[in-house]
Amino acid sequence: MDTLTRIRAFIDVVEAEGFSAAARKTGRSKALLSKYVRELEDELGALLLNRTTRQFSMTEAGHIYYRSAADILKEIESLADLVRENNADLKGRLKVSVPRTFIDADIGQSLIDFAVENPDLSLDIVAEDRFVDLIEEGFDLAIRITRLEDSGLIARKLADFRIYALATPDFVKKHGPLDHPQDLSRVPVLIDTNSRGHNTARFNLPDGGGVSVAVNGPIEVNSPQATLRGARAGLGVAMIPDFIGRPYVESGELVPLLEDFLPNDRGIYAVYPHRRYLPAKVRSFVDYLHAWFRKNT
């Protein structure tokens, strides 16, 4: 039995979080996977996994080995992709991390359209509002909606976006005028706790400076969709991405506020680990999304 097969078995068990789950996922028996992992440990002279009948965890050596082994295995798969990509359709599995903000908005259709055009490629989409560790958690890439900071990852901008501050016309009539960022400190603001500032909103000033305004309101929730619903109900001002709020601005249901003060340095990015051989499936996916946003936004 070759070392690569044992490494694959170890990674399958780690990513499935157990031998039984890995057996169901890979179609191999639990006993066979256990045998491969035990042989790998014997070869290395180190215990990689703590296993009991009820618990499963990696040892310190297991964590170290997994990080490097998973990356090496992806490089090997990427080499195979490079050889195959001009002779076959995209196949295999692509694990993608996306914010719920992305998947729940109209732009989430981009993922569905890609899946329709590539039926032999299985998309494993994990939607949650946190920055995952791509290498540690086995993701091929992530979609991030943010002001991108240096992270050691490779990033490609898919589209620009800006933040809207939105409220109903009746709310503005009741609480207005709202002409300066400081005005938000005296009115209810619906807070999306996904934002880094939480109870502080950051604005640009005409002189090139900036100002932070303390805000509060009746709702704090980790969902821009929920703050949007609150704004539509007249509960307060919601600060949300334009790709979520634009239809309600165009219909007149909500009005944009403080447009000259809102940051315009946000973007939607595809990010992935730096590798010598970028997998064809990752490159094709990112190229597709880039073209999709140019066409649809």
Side-chain angles (χ1 to χ4, degrees), residues 213-231:
V213 179
V215 295
N216 61 79
I219 293 177
E220 294 188 15
V221 58
N222 63 333
S223 166
Q225 294 284 0
T227 59
L228 173 66
R229 287 192 289 271

mmCIF file with all atom_site columns, all heavy atoms in Angstrom, residues 213-231:
data_model
loop_
_atom_site.group_PDB
_atom_site.id
_atom_site.type_symbol
_atom_site.label_atom_id
_atom_site.label_alt_id
_atom_site.label_comp_id
_atom_site.label_asym_id
_atom_site.label_entity_id
_atom_site.label_seq_id
_atom_site.pdbx_PDB_ins_code
_atom_site.Cartn_x
_atom_site.Cartn_y
_atom_site.Cartn_z
_atom_site.occupancy
_atom_site.B_iso_or_equiv
_atom_site.pdbx_formal_charge
_atom_site.auth_seq_id
_atom_site.auth_comp_id
_atom_site.auth_asym_id
_atom_site.auth_atom_id
_atom_site.pdbx_PDB_model_num
ATOM 1   N N   . VAL A 1 213 ? -19.364 57.200 14.004 1.00 0.00 ? 213 VAL A N   1
ATOM 2   C CA  . VAL A 1 213 ? -20.571 57.625 14.711 1.00 0.00 ? 213 VAL A CA  1
ATOM 3   C C   . VAL A 1 213 ? -21.118 56.449 15.513 1.00 0.00 ? 213 VAL A C   1
ATOM 4   O O   . VAL A 1 213 ? -21.316 55.355 14.959 1.00 0.00 ? 213 VAL A O   1
ATOM 5   C CB  . VAL A 1 213 ? -21.643 58.125 13.725 1.00 0.00 ? 213 VAL A CB  1
ATOM 6   C CG1 . VAL A 1 213 ? -22.908 58.543 14.466 1.00 0.00 ? 213 VAL A CG1 1
ATOM 7   C CG2 . VAL A 1 213 ? -21.100 59.272 12.884 1.00 0.00 ? 213 VAL A CG2 1
ATOM 8   N N   . ALA A 1 214 ? -21.349 56.659 16.800 1.00 0.00 ? 214 ALA A N   1
ATOM 9   C CA  . ALA A 1 214 ? -21.960 55.626 17.636 1.00 0.00 ? 214 ALA A CA  1
ATOM 10  C C   . ALA A 1 214 ? -23.447 55.536 17.300 1.00 0.00 ? 214 ALA A C   1
ATOM 11  O O   . ALA A 1 214 ? -24.142 56.548 17.248 1.00 0.00 ? 214 ALA A O   1
ATOM 12  C CB  . ALA A 1 214 ? -21.768 55.963 19.110 1.00 0.00 ? 214 ALA A CB  1
ATOM 13  N N   . VAL A 1 215 ? -23.920 54.318 17.044 1.00 0.00 ? 215 VAL A N   1
ATOM 14  C CA  . VAL A 1 215 ? -25.316 54.113 16.663 1.00 0.00 ? 215 VAL A CA  1
ATOM 15  C C   . VAL A 1 215 ? -25.932 53.019 17.521 1.00 0.00 ? 215 VAL A C   1
ATOM 16  O O   . VAL A 1 215 ? -25.244 52.158 18.062 1.00 0.00 ? 215 VAL A O   1
ATOM 17  C CB  . VAL A 1 215 ? -25.439 53.734 15.168 1.00 0.00 ? 215 VAL A CB  1
ATOM 18  C CG1 . VAL A 1 215 ? -24.982 54.865 14.278 1.00 0.00 ? 215 VAL A CG1 1
ATOM 19  C CG2 . VAL A 1 215 ? -24.665 52.457 14.857 1.00 0.00 ? 215 VAL A CG2 1
ATOM 20  N N   . ASN A 1 216 ? -27.259 53.065 17.635 1.00 0.00 ? 216 ASN A N   1
ATOM 21  C CA  . ASN A 1 216 ? -27.984 52.001 18.338 1.00 0.00 ? 216 ASN A CA  1
ATOM 22  C C   . ASN A 1 216 ? -29.420 52.001 17.864 1.00 0.00 ? 216 ASN A C   1
ATOM 23  O O   . ASN A 1 216 ? -29.884 52.949 17.225 1.00 0.00 ? 216 ASN A O   1
ATOM 24  C CB  . ASN A 1 216 ? -27.896 52.183 19.858 1.00 0.00 ? 216 ASN A CB  1
ATOM 25  C CG  . ASN A 1 216 ? -28.512 53.504 20.308 1.00 0.00 ? 216 ASN A CG  1
ATOM 26  O OD1 . ASN A 1 216 ? -29.723 53.637 20.412 1.00 0.00 ? 216 ASN A OD1 1
ATOM 27  N ND2 . ASN A 1 216 ? -27.659 54.501 20.562 1.00 0.00 ? 216 ASN A ND2 1
ATOM 28  N N   . GLY A 1 217 ? -30.105 50.922 18.159 1.00 0.00 ? 217 GLY A N   1
ATOM 29  C CA  . GLY A 1 217 ? -31.472 50.811 17.688 1.00 0.00 ? 217 GLY A CA  1
ATOM 30  C C   . GLY A 1 217 ? -32.175 49.601 18.254 1.00 0.00 ? 217 GLY A C   1
ATOM 31  O O   . GLY A 1 217 ? -31.635 48.898 19.125 1.00 0.00 ? 217 GLY A O   1
ATOM 32  N N   . PRO A 1 218 ? -33.348 49.301 17.749 1.00 0.00 ? 218 PRO A N   1
ATOM 33  C CA  . PRO A 1 218 ? -34.187 48.248 18.341 1.00 0.00 ? 218 PRO A CA  1
ATOM 34  C C   . PRO A 1 218 ? -33.785 46.833 17.947 1.00 0.00 ? 218 PRO A C   1
ATOM 35  O O   . PRO A 1 218 ? -34.278 45.875 18.538 1.00 0.00 ? 218 PRO A O   1
ATOM 36  C CB  . PRO A 1 218 ? -35.577 48.583 17.796 1.00 0.00 ? 218 PRO A CB  1
ATOM 37  C CG  . PRO A 1 218 ? -35.313 49.220 16.466 1.00 0.00 ? 218 PRO A CG  1
ATOM 38  C CD  . PRO A 1 218 ? -34.045 50.015 16.665 1.00 0.00 ? 218 PRO A CD  1
ATOM 39  N N   . ILE A 1 219 ? -32.923 46.690 16.942 1.00 0.00 ? 219 ILE A N   1
ATOM 40  C CA  . ILE A 1 219 ? -32.558 45.346 16.471 1.00 0.00 ? 219 ILE A CA  1
ATOM 41  C C   . ILE A 1 219 ? -31.054 45.263 16.250 1.00 0.00 ? 219 ILE A C   1
ATOM 42  O O   . ILE A 1 219 ? -30.467 46.140 15.624 1.00 0.00 ? 219 ILE A O   1
ATOM 43  C CB  . ILE A 1 219 ? -33.283 44.998 15.151 1.00 0.00 ? 219 ILE A CB  1
ATOM 44  C CG1 . ILE A 1 219 ? -34.790 44.872 15.376 1.00 0.00 ? 219 ILE A CG1 1
ATOM 45  C CG2 . ILE A 1 219 ? -32.749 43.705 14.558 1.00 0.00 ? 219 ILE A CG2 1
ATOM 46  C CD1 . ILE A 1 219 ? -35.574 44.590 14.102 1.00 0.00 ? 219 ILE A CD1 1
ATOM 47  N N   . GLU A 1 220 ? -30.452 44.201 16.773 1.00 0.00 ? 220 GLU A N   1
ATOM 48  C CA  . GLU A 1 220 ? -29.079 43.830 16.434 1.00 0.00 ? 220 GLU A CA  1
ATOM 49  C C   . GLU A 1 220 ? -29.128 42.381 15.976 1.00 0.00 ? 220 GLU A C   1
ATOM 50  O O   . GLU A 1 220 ? -29.561 41.506 16.725 1.00 0.00 ? 220 GLU A O   1
ATOM 51  C CB  . GLU A 1 220 ? -28.147 43.975 17.640 1.00 0.00 ? 220 GLU A CB  1
ATOM 52  C CG  . GLU A 1 220 ? -27.975 45.412 18.108 1.00 0.00 ? 220 GLU A CG  1
ATOM 53  C CD  . GLU A 1 220 ? -26.906 45.554 19.182 1.00 0.00 ? 220 GLU A CD  1
ATOM 54  O OE1 . GLU A 1 220 ? -26.124 44.588 19.350 1.00 0.00 ? 220 GLU A OE1 1
ATOM 55  O OE2 . GLU A 1 220 ? -26.852 46.607 19.829 1.00 0.00 ? 220 GLU A OE2 1
ATOM 56  N N   . VAL A 1 221 ? -28.687 42.117 14.759 1.00 0.00 ? 221 VAL A N   1
ATOM 57  C CA  . VAL A 1 221 ? -28.821 40.776 14.192 1.00 0.00 ? 221 VAL A CA  1
ATOM 58  C C   . VAL A 1 221 ? -27.712 40.550 13.166 1.00 0.00 ? 221 VAL A C   1
ATOM 59  O O   . VAL A 1 221 ? -27.304 41.486 12.486 1.00 0.00 ? 221 VAL A O   1
ATOM 60  C CB  . VAL A 1 221 ? -30.215 40.590 13.543 1.00 0.00 ? 221 VAL A CB  1
ATOM 61  C CG1 . VAL A 1 221 ? -30.468 41.625 12.465 1.00 0.00 ? 221 VAL A CG1 1
ATOM 62  C CG2 . VAL A 1 221 ? -30.405 39.182 12.994 1.00 0.00 ? 221 VAL A CG2 1
ATOM 63  N N   . ASN A 1 222 ? -27.229 39.315 13.059 1.00 0.00 ? 222 ASN A N   1
ATOM 64  C CA  . ASN A 1 222 ? -26.148 39.033 12.099 1.00 0.00 ? 222 ASN A CA  1
ATOM 65  C C   . ASN A 1 222 ? -26.724 38.670 10.739 1.00 0.00 ? 222 ASN A C   1
ATOM 66  O O   . ASN A 1 222 ? -26.441 37.614 10.189 1.00 0.00 ? 222 ASN A O   1
ATOM 67  C CB  . ASN A 1 222 ? -25.243 37.912 12.626 1.00 0.00 ? 222 ASN A CB  1
ATOM 68  C CG  . ASN A 1 222 ? -25.982 36.588 12.786 1.00 0.00 ? 222 ASN A CG  1
ATOM 69  O OD1 . ASN A 1 222 ? -27.196 36.561 13.001 1.00 0.00 ? 222 ASN A OD1 1
ATOM 70  N ND2 . ASN A 1 222 ? -25.254 35.494 12.689 1.00 0.00 ? 222 ASN A ND2 1
ATOM 71  N N   . SER A 1 223 ? -27.539 39.586 10.202 1.00 0.00 ? 223 SER A N   1
ATOM 72  C CA  . SER A 1 223 ? -28.155 39.355 8.901  1.00 0.00 ? 223 SER A CA  1
ATOM 73  C C   . SER A 1 223 ? -28.570 40.677 8.284  1.00 0.00 ? 223 SER A C   1
ATOM 74  O O   . SER A 1 223 ? -29.461 41.356 8.816  1.00 0.00 ? 223 SER A O   1
ATOM 75  C CB  . SER A 1 223 ? -29.376 38.456 9.040  1.00 0.00 ? 223 SER A CB  1
ATOM 76  O OG  . SER A 1 223 ? -30.164 38.471 7.859  1.00 0.00 ? 223 SER A OG  1
ATOM 77  N N   . PRO A 1 224 ? -27.959 41.075 7.149  1.00 0.00 ? 224 PRO A N   1
ATOM 78  C CA  . PRO A 1 224 ? -28.409 42.292 6.478  1.00 0.00 ? 224 PRO A CA  1
ATOM 79  C C   . PRO A 1 224 ? -29.827 42.169 5.943  1.00 0.00 ? 224 PRO A C   1
ATOM 80  O O   . PRO A 1 224 ? -30.533 43.171 5.824  1.00 0.00 ? 224 PRO A O   1
ATOM 81  C CB  . PRO A 1 224 ? -27.384 42.471 5.345  1.00 0.00 ? 224 PRO A CB  1
ATOM 82  C CG  . PRO A 1 224 ? -26.802 41.124 5.134  1.00 0.00 ? 224 PRO A CG  1
ATOM 83  C CD  . PRO A 1 224 ? -26.817 40.451 6.461  1.00 0.00 ? 224 PRO A CD  1
ATOM 84  N N   . GLN A 1 225 ? -30.246 40.952 5.625  1.00 0.00 ? 225 GLN A N   1
ATOM 85  C CA  . GLN A 1 225 ? -31.618 40.762 5.159  1.00 0.00 ? 225 GLN A CA  1
ATOM 86  C C   . GLN A 1 225 ? -32.612 41.118 6.264  1.00 0.00 ? 225 GLN A C   1
ATOM 87  O O   . GLN A 1 225 ? -33.670 41.696 6.010  1.00 0.00 ? 225 GLN A O   1
ATOM 88  C CB  . GLN A 1 225 ? -31.827 39.311 4.705  1.00 0.00 ? 225 GLN A CB  1
ATOM 89  C CG  . GLN A 1 225 ? -31.024 38.901 3.490  1.00 0.00 ? 225 GLN A CG  1
ATOM 90  C CD  . GLN A 1 225 ? -31.605 39.447 2.192  1.00 0.00 ? 225 GLN A CD  1
ATOM 91  O OE1 . GLN A 1 225 ? -32.619 40.129 2.187  1.00 0.00 ? 225 GLN A OE1 1
ATOM 92  N NE2 . GLN A 1 225 ? -30.951 39.137 1.088  1.00 0.00 ? 225 GLN A NE2 1
ATOM 93  N N   . ALA A 1 226 ? -32.263 40.775 7.510  1.00 0.00 ? 226 ALA A N   1
ATOM 94  C CA  . ALA A 1 226 ? -33.146 41.099 8.625  1.00 0.00 ? 226 ALA A CA  1
ATOM 95  C C   . ALA A 1 226 ? -33.184 42.602 8.882  1.00 0.00 ? 226 ALA A C   1
ATOM 96  O O   . ALA A 1 226 ? -34.252 43.167 9.164  1.00 0.00 ? 226 ALA A O   1
ATOM 97  C CB  . ALA A 1 226 ? -32.694 40.360 9.884  1.00 0.00 ? 226 ALA A CB  1
ATOM 98  N N   . THR A 1 227 ? -32.016 43.270 8.800  1.00 0.00 ? 227 THR A N   1
ATOM 99  C CA  . THR A 1 227 ? -32.035 44.722 8.988  1.00 0.00 ? 227 THR A CA  1
ATOM 100 C C   . THR A 1 227 ? -32.800 45.401 7.855  1.00 0.00 ? 227 THR A C   1
ATOM 101 O O   . THR A 1 227 ? -33.444 46.430 8.069  1.00 0.00 ? 227 THR A O   1
ATOM 102 C CB  . THR A 1 227 ? -30.604 45.283 9.069  1.00 0.00 ? 227 THR A CB  1
ATOM 103 O OG1 . THR A 1 227 ? -29.888 44.982 7.872  1.00 0.00 ? 227 THR A OG1 1
ATOM 104 C CG2 . THR A 1 227 ? -29.855 44.692 10.245 1.00 0.00 ? 227 THR A CG2 1
ATOM 105 N N   . LEU A 1 228 ? -32.741 44.841 6.653  1.00 0.00 ? 228 LEU A N   1
ATOM 106 C CA  . LEU A 1 228 ? -33.527 45.364 5.540  1.00 0.00 ? 228 LEU A CA  1
ATOM 107 C C   . LEU A 1 228 ? -35.012 45.291 5.854  1.00 0.00 ? 228 LEU A C   1
ATOM 108 O O   . LEU A 1 228 ? -35.763 46.258 5.642  1.00 0.00 ? 228 LEU A O   1
ATOM 109 C CB  . LEU A 1 228 ? -33.212 44.594 4.262  1.00 0.00 ? 228 LEU A CB  1
ATOM 110 C CG  . LEU A 1 228 ? -34.082 44.921 3.041  1.00 0.00 ? 228 LEU A CG  1
ATOM 111 C CD1 . LEU A 1 228 ? -33.838 46.347 2.570  1.00 0.00 ? 228 LEU A CD1 1
ATOM 112 C CD2 . LEU A 1 228 ? -33.815 43.926 1.908  1.00 0.00 ? 228 LEU A CD2 1
ATOM 113 N N   . ARG A 1 229 ? -35.456 44.138 6.366  1.00 0.00 ? 229 ARG A N   1
ATOM 114 C CA  . ARG A 1 229 ? -36.868 43.999 6.708  1.00 0.00 ? 229 ARG A CA  1
ATOM 115 C C   . ARG A 1 229 ? -37.267 44.999 7.794  1.00 0.00 ? 229 ARG A C   1
ATOM 116 O O   . ARG A 1 229 ? -38.378 45.551 7.774  1.00 0.00 ? 229 ARG A O   1
ATOM 117 C CB  . ARG A 1 229 ? -37.160 42.565 7.157  1.00 0.00 ? 229 ARG A CB  1
ATOM 118 C CG  . ARG A 1 229 ? -37.147 41.558 6.014  1.00 0.00 ? 229 ARG A CG  1
ATOM 119 C CD  . ARG A 1 229 ? -37.718 40.215 6.433  1.00 0.00 ? 229 ARG A CD  1
ATOM 120 N NE  . ARG A 1 229 ? -36.841 39.498 7.346  1.00 0.00 ? 229 ARG A NE  1
ATOM 121 C CZ  . ARG A 1 229 ? -35.882 38.678 6.944  1.00 0.00 ? 229 ARG A CZ  1
ATOM 122 N NH1 . ARG A 1 229 ? -35.693 38.456 5.656  1.00 0.00 ? 229 ARG A NH1 1
ATOM 123 N NH2 . ARG A 1 229 ? -35.119 38.056 7.831  1.00 0.00 ? 229 ARG A NH2 1
ATOM 124 N N   . GLY A 1 230 ? -36.345 45.237 8.745  1.00 0.00 ? 230 GLY A N   1
ATOM 125 C CA  . GLY A 1 230 ? -36.636 46.219 9.778  1.00 0.00 ? 230 GLY A CA  1
ATOM 126 C C   . GLY A 1 230 ? -36.782 47.622 9.217  1.00 0.00 ? 230 GLY A C   1
ATOM 127 O O   . GLY A 1 230 ? -37.663 48.385 9.629  1.00 0.00 ? 230 GLY A O   1
ATOM 128 N N   . ALA A 1 231 ? -35.910 47.966 8.267  1.00 0.00 ? 231 ALA A N   1
ATOM 129 C CA  . ALA A 1 231 ? -36.003 49.284 7.631  1.00 0.00 ? 231 ALA A CA  1
ATOM 130 C C   . ALA A 1 231 ? -37.317 49.414 6.868  1.00 0.00 ? 231 ALA A C   1
ATOM 131 O O   . ALA A 1 231 ? -37.977 50.460 6.916  1.00 0.00 ? 231 ALA A O   1
ATOM 132 C CB  . ALA A 1 231 ? -34.818 49.496 6.698  1.00 0.00 ? 231 ALA A CB  1
#
